Amino acid sequence: MINKIQAFLGRSALSRELSLNAMGSVLVKLGGTGLALLLTMLLARVMGAEGYGIYSYALSLVLLLTVPAQLGLPNLLVRETAKAQANEDWQIMRGLWRWSTGLAGLLSVLIAAVAWAVLIVWADSFNTEQRATLVPALLLIPFITLGNLRDSALRGLRHVVLGQLSETVLRPGLLLIVLLILGWVWQDYRFTSAQVMGVNCAAAGAAFVIISFLLNRKTPSAFLDSPPCYHSGQWLRSALPLAFVVGMFMINQHVSVLILGYVCTPTEVGVFKVAISLSSVVIFALQTINAILAPYYARFYTQRDMQRLQRLVMLSSRAVLAFSLPVVAVLIIFGEWLLQHLFGHDYVLGYQAMVILALGQLVNAASGSVALLLNMTGHERDTAKVIALFAVLNVGLNTVLIPVLGLIGAAWASAVSTTLWNLVLLWFVYRRLGVVSFAWAPSKIFSRSQSNS
């Protein structure tokens, strides 16, 4: 995959940079995916399905709360930082970073405080363990929000590998290490969801400090000597549609867990969360490609090099599909064995849900970076409309299907909505950019789009 993309770009400095970023990103994503699976296996075993379900429910709720706190600023930072660096507009870059940090920091503290107050007022709606887990979980909001801004700034500066470390490697890695040490000290001790969430908060704080240090080291010297220039109104108008898009994505990602937790038992939530974790391996390559190519999509579009953009999009989509197909086959054939031996006998119940989710993610992988393409080229409003429509559909499907089918209903709701919004976004990418992103698109369509560019 890396070699093909490098060959397309030739032997330019951009090609060498992309090759290094690609290799580093693959290593980071491999390490991050491995850490995520190891962490899921450990948590599923040390807390049991019920405890893991409570932990997953609290984490999903908090991650949804980070959406209004981030306000779409991470994606805006990647795009505008890449543009500012290309134009050597350091004043704009400095103003953007200061403005986004101040706004996100204020929002994250306010949202955490309001959520804590709501938790006190509605205390009777949660059992003791749920309340004890949600309180430390709220501390994650500022750490995740501000850490994501620093990750995005690094990616915008084309330090793509460093810009993935915080959430992909540092936080889960630190959490895993601390839990392994505690498990070694107190053997045969079953951790509660509240204790694990507390360790998670400490890991998030440490990851934030490390990524802030790395950003400080990689900031261009010209940036430090430039006075800030603010375009607050313009940035806010651009960020709001991005926030809406991210919010709809997060609803699509977490609504099944939240509704399942409300309607069914914590044990079923834990089983379903494990099914999600295994099925998400299908889009490992897509996530890697997105992290690598986001600033290059913005750069090629800014330079109006549409033919180059089309070729890079199609090459990346087909590379992603080549990885995803074998993963789906492994999950279908060996899924029950993997669930039993990696996570425990209680989680075999999630096999059918895992297969359904994996098939939905296969369509996601084959569609390529459709949402990212629209966001990085200034068409985030199209993404917002489509994702909003299918987020509503997802909520409706989950509301109808979960009370009847439980885990299987949640899986079908997620897979159907994922498939449909990808297909609609494919059409928008072709309409707005003249770019074909679907990996299975016939060569004649691909060639026609290039000739029309």
Side-chain angles (χ1 to χ4, degrees):
M1 178 170 64
I2 297 171
N3 291 336
K4 288 183 178 180
I5 294 175
Q6 184 181 21
F8 150 66
L9 290 171
R11 296 183 178 276
S12 63
L14 184 63
S15 168
R16 291 191 295 272
E17 177 187 299
L18 181 58
S19 179
L20 290 174
N21 281 337
M23 288 187 289
S25 292
V26 168
L27 291 176
V28 169
K29 285 295 182 182
L30 278 173
T33 301
L35 280 173
L37 285 175
L38 286 173
L39 188 58
T40 301
M41 289 163 52
L42 178 64
L43 295 178
R45 288 184 176 275
V46 301
M47 289 192 290
E50 182 179 1
Y52 185 55
I54 294 173
Y55 174 85
S56 299
Y57 184 86
L59 192 58
S60 292
L61 189 59
V62 165
L63 289 175
L64 274 180
L65 292 177
T66 64
V67 174
Q70 295 180 77
L71 204 67
L73 296 174
N75 282 335
L76 181 73
L77 268 178
V78 174
R79 188 179 77 192
E80 297 302 322
T81 297
K83 289 180 180 179
Q85 186 185 41
N87 298 325
E88 297 186 355
D89 197 344
W90 309 116
Q91 294 181 356
I92 290 292
M93 187 186 295
R94 189 167 193 182
L96 174 65
W97 288 13
R98 279 191 179 183
W99 173 80
S100 60
T101 298
L103 181 59
L106 176 62
L107 288 173
S108 61
V109 172
L110 287 175
I111 289 169
V114 170
W116 180 72
V118 170
L119 183 60
I120 292 176
V121 174
W122 290 57
D124 293 340
S125 300
F126 305 95
N127 63 38
T128 303
E129 185 64 19
Q130 288 173 330
R131 290 196 300 271
T133 305
L134 282 167
V135 170
L138 295 176
L139 297 176
L140 285 172
I141 296 174
F143 287 135
I144 291 176
T145 298
L146 296 176
N148 284 344
L149 291 185
R150 280 146 182 77
D151 287 341
S152 298
L154 282 166
R155 291 200 302 274
L157 291 172
R158 304 203 305 276
H159 296 295
V160 177
V161 177
L162 293 179
Q164 300 173 70
L165 288 180
S166 180
E167 286 299 302
T168 305
V169 175
L170 291 178
R171 183 163 67 93
L174 291 170
L175 175 58
L176 180 64
I177 290 170
V178 172
L179 289 177
L180 287 174
I181 292 173
L182 293 176
W184 178 73
V185 173
W186 290 291
Q187 297 181 12
D188 299 325
Y189 178 76
R190 173 152 288 194
F191 292 95
T192 66
S193 57
Q195 291 169 337
V196 174
M197 190 63 76
V199 177
N200 195 355
C201 291
F208 171 74
V209 171
I210 294 170
I211 205 67
S212 297
F213 171 77
L214 291 174
L215 178 60
N216 186 60
R217 292 290 301 271
K218 295 299 181 180
T219 300
S221 57
F223 170 94
L224 300 175
D225 299 330
S226 301
C229 179
Y230 299 98
H231 291 169
S232 303
Q234 177 184 336
W235 292 332
L236 187 60
R237 285 191 296 273
S238 295
L240 288 176
L242 293 171
F244 190 69
V245 171
V246 172
M248 296 303 103
F249 268 118
M250 293 293 281
I251 288 174
N252 276 313
Q253 185 176 356
H254 296 287
V255 67
S256 297
V257 171
L258 294 176
I259 295 179
L260 197 65
Y262 181 77
V263 175
C264 302
T265 65
T267 298
E268 289 175 281
V269 175
V271 171
F272 185 70
K273 189 64 177 177
V274 166
I276 292 175
S277 297
L278 272 181
S279 65
S280 66
V281 179
V282 175
I283 55 170
F284 163 77
L286 178 63
Q287 293 170 335
T288 303
I289 285 290
N290 284 349
I292 297 167
L293 297 182
Y296 300 98
Y297 290 152
R299 175 184 287 259
F300 289 163
Y301 183 76
T302 299
Q303 297 169 346
R304 292 298 184 267
D305 194 348
M306 303 306 293
Q307 193 170 41
R308 206 176 188 191
L309 178 63
Q310 168 66 88
R311 293 172 62 196
L312 184 59
V313 166
M314 183 54 67
L315 182 59
S316 63
S317 295
R318 290 177 175 173
V320 166
L321 183 61
F323 171 88
S324 301
L325 277 172
V327 174
V328 172
V330 168
L331 291 179
I332 292 174
I333 298 170
F334 302 106
E336 288 184 294
W337 185 92
L338 290 171
L339 287 168
Q340 180 169 353
H341 288 82
L342 296 182
F343 301 96
H345 180 73
D346 291 343
Y347 297 95
V348 177
L349 177 65
Y351 170 73
Q352 286 183 305
M354 181 197 67
V355 170
I356 295 168
L357 290 168
L359 292 174
Q361 294 292 12
L362 181 61
V363 177
N364 190 7
S367 299
S369 309
V370 282
L372 183 69
L373 273 167
L374 291 171
N375 292 343
M376 291 295 108
T377 56
H379 298 91
E380 58 271 8
R381 293 182 186 276
D382 291 329
T383 313
K385 293 174 185 176
V386 174
I387 300 302
L389 174 63
F390 289 103
V392 172
L393 174 65
N394 195 9
V395 172
L397 288 174
N398 275 285
T399 303
V400 172
L401 295 178
I402 286 177
V404 179
L405 301 175
L407 294 173
I408 305 302
W412 274 117
S414 178
V416 168
S417 59
T418 298
T419 298
L420 292 177
W421 67 251
N422 270 284
L423 294 177
V424 175
L425 285 179
L426 279 167
W427 180 79
F428 268 101
V429 167
Y430 184 73
R431 180 185 177 188
R432 299 299 190 199
L433 307 178
V435 169
V436 178
S437 180
F438 192 56
W440 276 316
S443 298
K444 60 174 67 176
I445 296 178
F446 172 39
S447 302
R448 190 184 308 132
S449 74
Q450 281 192 303
S451 63
N452 291 337
S453 299

